[in-house]
Amino acid sequence: MKPKDPAGQRLALLQGTLNLLILRTLGLGKQHGQGIARAIQRESGDELLVDHGSLYPALQRLEKLSLIQAEWGTSSNNRRARFYTLTAAGREELASETKQWCRLVEVMSRVLGLNEAI
Amino acid sequence: MSKRHDEDFHAEIEAHLQLEIDELVDGGMSRAEAARAAHRAFGNVTRSRERFYESNRWLWLDHLARNTRYALRQMKRAPVSTAAILLSLALGVGLNTSIFSLADQALVRPLPVEDPQTLVQLKWNGIFVVAGMGSNGYGNLVPFPLYHQLRDEGDVFADLFARTTANVHLALKDRSLPVNAEIVTGSFFETLGVNPRLGRLFTESDDVVPGGHPQAVISHEFWWSQFAGRESVLGEQLRINGVQLTIIGVAEKGFQGTDWSVAPSIWIPMMMKEAVTGWGGLDEHRSRFAHVFGRLKDGSTRSQAVAHLEPLFDRYLLADTELADWPSVSEDQLAGFLGSQLDVVSGAKGQSWAAEEISSPLLILAGATGLVFLLACLNVANLSVARVLGARRATALRTALGASRRRILGESLVESTVFAVIGGTLGALLAPTVSRFVLTMLGEGAGGTGLNAGLDLRVLGFALATTAVLTVLAGTTPALFAAATPPALALQQRGADGMGGPRGAAVRKAFVVAQFSLALLLLVSASLFAQTLGKLRAEGPGFSTTNLLMLEISPRNDGYDAGNAKTLVRRLQERLEALPETAEVGVAAHSMLSGGSWNNPVTVVTDQMRVATDRSLPMNAITPGFFEALGAKILMGRSFDETDSVDEGWDLRSVILNKEFVDRYLEGKDPVGGRLAFGTAPDALPEIEVIGVVESFQDTGLREPEPQIYFSLWERRVGSGTIYLRTTTDSEYTMNSVRTAMSEVDPTLTAVSLRTVDDQLDRLLVTERVLSTLASAFAVLATVLAMIGLYGVLSFSAERRRNEIGIRMALGASRWSAGSLLVREAAALAVLGLVIALPAVWGVGQLVENQLFGVQPTDLASILAAAAILFAAVLAASAYPARKLSRVKPLEALRAD
C-alpha cells in the first residue's frame, strides 16, 4: 500500500454523507467510533478518509436524534470503548436515506448527462 | 436521553486514540510514531471537545453565568458610569412607580366592592335652593326625601342607598375617642355586595323606624385596633355621642366605605342619624347631606336611566316649590331650580372629597415624574452607548483574537440585562419609601391616611419593562455596530460608522439637549411652586399666628344639648382666660383655615343703598374676645360684647362685616347701623343689625381676600366650636395647662384637636408643600441626571479630540483654549436645550396656573434662575473633562494612535 496524500487523492466527504455512512456501518452491527472510521475507510477502498475530529460530533448528533444509541463495552483487544448500535428509528432512517441517496445519484447523473456512460 | 458528561466524552476520545494506536502498532509502527499519527488523524482534540461541549443544551446557562460574572467585573471597573446608570434606573423606576401608584389609588382605583363598575351615583346638576340657613353643599349631595322618592317610586334602579358621614365620639372607660362614622341606609351593604367578617350587616329591616335601631357595624380595622379581633365583640355596647349602640357585625377586611380618604370605623343606620348627631334632616327638603349610590336594572344604561328619571325628577322639583317651607327666590333662581337635572354618573370610585382636593397636585406630580422618567431613560441610553463605545478598542482586540460576534453581543446583552435587573430592583425598593414620604407629607388632612404605600404591580411592571427594554436596546445596538466594525479600523479609532461617528455623536448630543430642556422645565416649575408656598406663608392669614393655640371641641358629641353646651363653652372660655399663660381667648363656631366654611348669600341695606351679594359668602359665629385673640382691629363701630346674646335657640341680631365686604359691596362706605338678611330674594327682610367693621384677615383659605361675615356665637345654638387662645409664652408649653383646665371644667369633654394655628396653616398648605417639596426634589434630581449625561458625552468627546487638541497645541494653541473648546461645546448644547424648552415652560405654566399664588406662570426670574443653575451645572460637569483635555501633552497625544 503506497502512501497517499489525503488532501490530494482521497475524496472529500459531501456535506451530510457522513451520517449516512455511519448509519450504514452500524447497520452491519455494533461498533465503536474508531471502528466506524476504519470500516468506512476500508469499505471505500481507502478512497474516503473520515476526519476523526468530525466523526464524534456527528455521532453525538445522531445519538441526540435517537437514531443510534451507545454503551460502554470492551473491544476485541480488551480496550474499553463506547459502542454504538442502530435504534429502530435509525434503521428506518438508514432505509429512507439510502433511497434518497440513490435518487440523488440518479438525478445528478441524468443532469450531468452521464446515464449513457453508466 | 440523559445528558452526557464532558468527562465521558473525553474518555471516548481517549479510547479512540488508544484503539487507533493499537491498530497502527499492529500495522508495524513504533508506539511513539503511532501516537503521533493517531493524534494527527484525529485533528484538534480540544476543538473536538469544545464542539461537544457546545452541543450541550445547557450551554446558554453556562454562557449566562460567565457573561454575568464578566458584566459584574466590567461594572466594577467603571464605577462612576455604573453608579450613574443604576441611579438613573432606580430613580426612574422608583419615582414613577411610587407617584403613579398613589395617583392610581387616589384617582383611578375602584372601590373594593362587588362589581364596582356597575355602581352609579346621583348628581344634582343645576341650582339647589337652600333654606335661609344651612350649608351650601356640592352637586352630588341630594336632599334625603328625594332618595326616598326614588327608592319607592322609580323603576330605574335595582338597588339604591344613601350615605353621609359624621365625626362622632366613642366613649371609652376613661376618655372618649373621636372616630369617623358613615351613616347609611339599610340597603348599603347589600347594594355594595359587602360581606360580614363576623355577625351580620344592616339590611332594610334595620333602618325603618327613626331612632328605633340602636345598632352598629364596625370596620375590620377598628375591630382589631379597638377590640383586638375578639369574636365576643358581637352584642357589646358602644357609647357613641352618648347613645348606646349594639355591635351586630364586623365588615369584611379591606372594606373602607365609599370614601377612601375618610375610612369609617363604624357604620350607623340612617334612622339613628338624629339620635346620634343631633340633627336628622331626613324630611328636610331645603338642605342636602346624602350621597346616593345604586345599581341600574339589568341591561339599562346610564343615559337611559337619566331619561327615565327626568319626568319623576321634574315632578319632584315642582312639588318642592309648592311646599310650605319654599323660600321666596328670584326668577333666575326659580328657573335654575326647575331646570335642574338629575344625572347618573359612575359610582365606581365612590365619593371622595380628598380625591378632588389632591387630584390636581397628584396629576402635576405625575407629569413631573414622567419628565424625570424620560430624563433617566435618556441618561441610561446615553451612558450605555458611552460604555460600549468606550470598550470599543477592547472589543476590536478581542474580535481580532477570534471572539465571535455572537459572543460579544451576548456579553453586552447580559451586561445591559444585569443593569436593568439591579437598577429595577433598586427602584422597586425605593418606591415604597418615596410613597411613605409623600403620604406622611399629605397627612390626615389630604387623604394621606387613606392611601397606602403599596405598589401597583401594573405600574411597576410598566416601569421595569420600559427601562429594561431601553437598557438592553441602548446596550446592544452600539455593540452591534462595534462588532461590525472591522477590528483594524476600530483599533485605530478610525471607525466612523455606528454610534461613535459624527452621526452617533449627534444623537448623543440630542439626548443631552433634551435632558437640559426637561431639567429646565422641572427647575422652573419647582421655583414657581416654592414661590407660591413662600408667598402664601409670608402673607399668612393677616393676623399673627405666633403663640396662638386652637382647641376644637364638640360638646354635642359628648352628650350636651344645645342649652347646656352654651353654658359649657362659656365656662370653658372663662376658665381658659383665667390661666396665667393666656392673654386673650375667643371662640368661633367654625375652625378657621380648615378649608371648610359656612356660606350663604346675603342682602345688606344701609341708609344709602340696598345690595344683594352675587354669591354665597363665608360666615362664622364668634364670641367677644375672638378678634382680640387674633389681634384684628375694629375699623368702624364696635366689637361683640356680652349684650349680643340670647338665652336659647337662634336669634341673630347683630353682625360684623369685614373691610373686604365693605370695599367690594358697599363702595367702602360705613355700614354701621345698616341691616342684613340671609338670601338675595327681592322680599328678603334685613333685620340683623350691622354693628361694626373688622379689618380683613383670612378666615377660610389663604389665597383670595374674602368678604366675610361674623355673627355672635351667643345668639345661636352651640354644638361645637373652636377656642382660640393667644398665649404669653410659647404656645406648645401651654397645651398641658389647657388640657388640665379643660378636664377641670368637664373630665368627659373630648379635645377633637388641640394644636397651634401655625400647625393648622401647615395643614392648610399641605398640597402646596407637597408640590413645592417634590417639585424641588425632582428638579435637583433632573439637574444631576442632566449633569451626568453631559459628563458622559463630554468625556467621550474629549477622548476623541485628543488628537486634534494635540495638533492644535503643537501649532501653538494655549491650554486654556483647549479646555474652553469643550466648555463651549457643552454650553452650546445647554443653550439649545434652554431655547427649545421655553415654549414648553410657557405651556407648563398655563397648566399649573391654578395651583400658583403670587407668581406669574411665566415668571422671568424663575426662568433666569433655572438657566443660571443649569449653566453652573454645565460648568461643573465639563470641568473635569476640560481639565483633562487641557493637560494633553501634544507629543503623547500624537503618538497615541
Side-chain angles (χ1 to χ4, degrees), chain B residues 608-671:
Chain B
Q608 295 163 9
M609 61 185 96
R610 178 189 174 97
V611 176
T613 61
D614 52 347
R615 59 198 172 95
S616 280
L617 296 181
M619 4 187 102
N620 210 340
I622 57 167
T623 66
F626 175 78
F627 291 138
E628 289 74 9
L630 298 188
K633 286 187 204 67
I634 296 293
L635 303 177
M636 302 172 202
R638 64 173 178 90
S639 183
F640 291 121
D641 58 33
E642 290 306 318
T643 62
D644 303 305
S645 172
V646 293
D647 289 336
E648 212 172 297
W650 288 85
D651 186 10
L652 299 175
R653 294 182 305 191
S654 44
V655 61
I656 293 175
L657 306 174
N658 74 348
K659 182 78 166 48
E660 182 68 25
F661 186 106
V662 174
D663 287 345
R664 198 178 299 185
Y665 292 109
L666 304 174
E667 299 163 8
K669 290 180 181 137
D670 185 354

Side-chain angles (χ1 to χ4, degrees), chain B residues 549 730-740 754-756:
Chain B
L549 271 183
D730 190 340
S731 49
E732 297 266 354
Y733 293 110
T734 319
M735 285 192 187
N736 277 334
S737 318
V738 170
R739 281 208 182 83
T740 314
L754 172 59
R755 59 174 76 110
T756 64

Side-chain angles (χ1 to χ4, degrees), chain B residues 7-183:
Chain B
E7 290 75 30
D8 189 67
F9 185 70
H10 190 53
E12 185 176 10
I13 292 174
E14 279 305 312
H16 174 103
L17 292 172
Q18 284 309 320
L19 285 165
E20 187 73 14
I21 292 166
D22 287 351
E23 198 161 326
L24 291 174
V25 169
D26 280 355
M29 269 190 207
S30 78
R31 202 145 190 103
E33 209 178 331
R36 270 198 303 278
H39 272 101
R40 205 163 46 237
F42 199 92
N44 188 339
V45 176
T46 314
R47 179 76 193 125
S48 195
R49 283 188 70 179
E50 231 170 46
R51 276 167 73 181
F52 165 76
Y53 194 65
E54 285 175 7
S55 72
N56 194 321
R57 274 171 304 159
W58 294 99
L59 193 67
W60 62 271
L61 193 67
D62 183 76
H63 275 167
L64 184 66
R66 206 175 49 204
N67 284 347
T68 307
R69 281 195 299 273
Y70 179 74
L72 290 174
R73 223 164 39 232
Q74 291 295 91
M75 287 167 79
K76 246 193 257 169
R77 262 197 199 155
V80 176
S81 120
T82 300
I85 294 183
L86 290 182
L87 183 75
S88 303
L89 283 171
L91 287 175
V93 171
L95 294 180
N96 231 39
T97 308
S98 161
I99 301 295
F100 279 95
S101 292
L102 291 179
D104 169 69
Q105 279 181 66
L107 310 176
V108 183
R109 189 176 294 182
L111 294 173
V113 299
E114 190 183 301
D115 204 5
Q117 299 305 336
T118 64
L119 211 57
V120 296
Q121 186 181 6
L122 291 185
K123 192 177 167 86
W124 183 305
N125 269 344
I127 289 183
F128 182 73
V129 171
V130 295
M133 302 288 288
S135 73
N136 217 352
Y138 297 96
N140 34 18
L141 288 172
V142 299
F144 198 73
L146 176 61
Y147 159 75
H148 255 243
Q149 198 167 337
L150 289 175
R151 193 195 57 182
D152 297 341
E153 291 177 21
D155 55 355
V156 174
F157 300 101
D159 294 292
L160 203 63
F161 71 81
R163 54 81 70 175
T164 185
T165 55
N167 302 313
V168 296
H169 290 181
L170 167 69
L172 302 173
K173 274 199 195 81
D174 50 347
R175 64 197 169 95
S176 73
L177 184 72
V179 296
N180 293 324
E182 190 168 17
I183 301 181

Side-chain angles (χ1 to χ4, degrees), chain B residues 677-853:
Chain B
F678 287 101
T680 52
D683 58 349
L685 189 60
E687 284 180 322
I688 307 167
E689 187 186 349
V690 179
I691 61 162
V693 174
V694 69
E695 68 174 324
S696 296
F697 58 86
Q698 305 282 0
D699 192 297
T700 51
L702 280 181
R703 290 178 175 244
E704 295 292 317
E706 282 272 16
Q708 178 89 30
I709 300 160
Y710 295 96
F711 297 100
S712 167
L713 184 66
W714 302 141
E715 291 178 351
R716 48 170 270 180
R717 276 192 297 267
V718 176
S720 57
T722 303
I723 303 174
Y724 288 86
L725 304 95
R726 178 73 68 182
T727 62
T728 50
T729 57
D730 190 340
S731 49
E732 297 266 354
Y733 293 110
T734 319
M735 285 192 187
N736 277 334
S737 318
V738 170
R739 281 208 182 83
T740 314
M742 202 173 117
S743 63
E744 278 166 24
V745 172
D746 179 357
T748 66
L749 195 63
T750 311
V752 177
S753 70
L754 172 59
R755 59 174 76 110
T756 64
V757 174
D758 276 327
D759 203 15
Q760 181 66 30
L761 265 179
D762 279 348
R763 287 166 178 255
L764 189 66
L765 292 175
V766 62
T767 55
E768 285 83 358
R769 204 169 54 246
V770 168
L771 271 180
S772 164
T773 310
L774 291 187
S776 305
F778 287 179
V780 170
L781 291 176
T783 309
V784 171
L785 288 177
M787 276 173 74
I788 293 172
L790 179 66
Y791 176 79
V793 167
L794 290 181
S795 303
F796 185 67
S797 174
E799 195 55 42
R800 274 183 48 231
R801 298 181 88 158
R802 270 172 60 99
N803 245 342
E804 175 198 337
I805 298 296
I807 295 172
R808 279 170 185 252
M809 283 187 158
L811 292 177
S814 69
R815 293 192 178 288
W816 169 252
S817 73
S820 68
L821 198 69
L822 207 62
V823 177
R824 274 207 306 276
E825 183 185 324
L829 294 181
V831 168
L832 193 58
L834 300 195
V835 170
I836 289 174
L838 281 179
V841 166
W842 183 83
V844 165
Q846 302 305 308
L847 279 178
V848 302
E849 190 172 7
N850 66 348
Q851 296 289 322
L852 301 180
F853 176 80

Side-chain angles (χ1 to χ4, degrees), chain B residues 373-495:
Chain B
F373 188 64
L374 205 57
L375 233 157
C377 285
L378 288 172
N379 237 10
V380 170
N382 223 341
L383 291 166
S384 302
V385 171
R387 274 181 89 83
V388 176
L389 291 178
R392 204 167 46 149
R393 282 178 86 121
T395 310
L397 199 62
R398 293 178 55 212
T399 314
L401 291 177
S404 73
R405 200 172 147 183
R406 242 181 87 178
R407 171 125 183 222
I408 287 174
L409 259 188
E411 276 166 12
S412 54
L413 184 69
V414 169
E415 185 175 324
S416 349
T417 311
V418 169
F419 268 120
V421 168
I422 298 182
T425 310
L426 289 176
L429 292 176
L430 175 72
T433 314
V434 176
S435 292
R436 272 194 290 275
F437 176 69
V438 175
L439 289 182
T440 313
M441 283 189 70
L442 282 175
E444 196 181 0
T449 48
L451 303 175
N452 62 63
L455 303 182
D456 187 288
L457 291 182
R458 292 165 305 164
V459 177
L460 181 63
F462 171 79
L464 288 179
T466 314
T467 49
V469 167
L470 177 94
T471 315
V472 168
L473 272 183
T476 51
T477 314
L480 207 63
F481 283 118
T485 310
L489 282 184
L491 279 172
Q492 293 169 27
Q493 292 215 336
R494 299 272 191 274

Side-chain angles (χ1 to χ4, degrees), chain A residues 45-111:
Chain A
D46 268 355
E47 290 285 343
L48 295 174
L49 182 62
V50 178
D51 170 17
H52 294 183
S54 32
L55 174 66
Y56 284 92
L59 285 170
Q60 186 67 23
R61 244 182 346 259
L62 292 172
E63 198 179 346
K64 218 173 239 178
L65 292 168
S66 297
L67 297 176
I68 60 176
Q69 58 192 21
E71 59 183 357
W72 285 92
T74 317
S75 73
S76 50
N77 58 349
N78 259 342
R79 292 258 179 217
R80 248 174 69 78
R82 206 159 180 266
F83 282 87
Y84 294 87
T85 49
L86 273 191
T87 62
R91 234 163 253 293
E92 276 174 33
E93 181 75 5
L94 173 59
S96 74
E97 282 295 308
T98 309
K99 216 180 278 171
Q100 279 280 313
W101 178 256
C102 291
R103 279 191 58 198
L104 183 66
V105 169
E106 196 187 323
V107 172
M108 285 298 289
S109 306
R110 203 183 308 144
V111 172

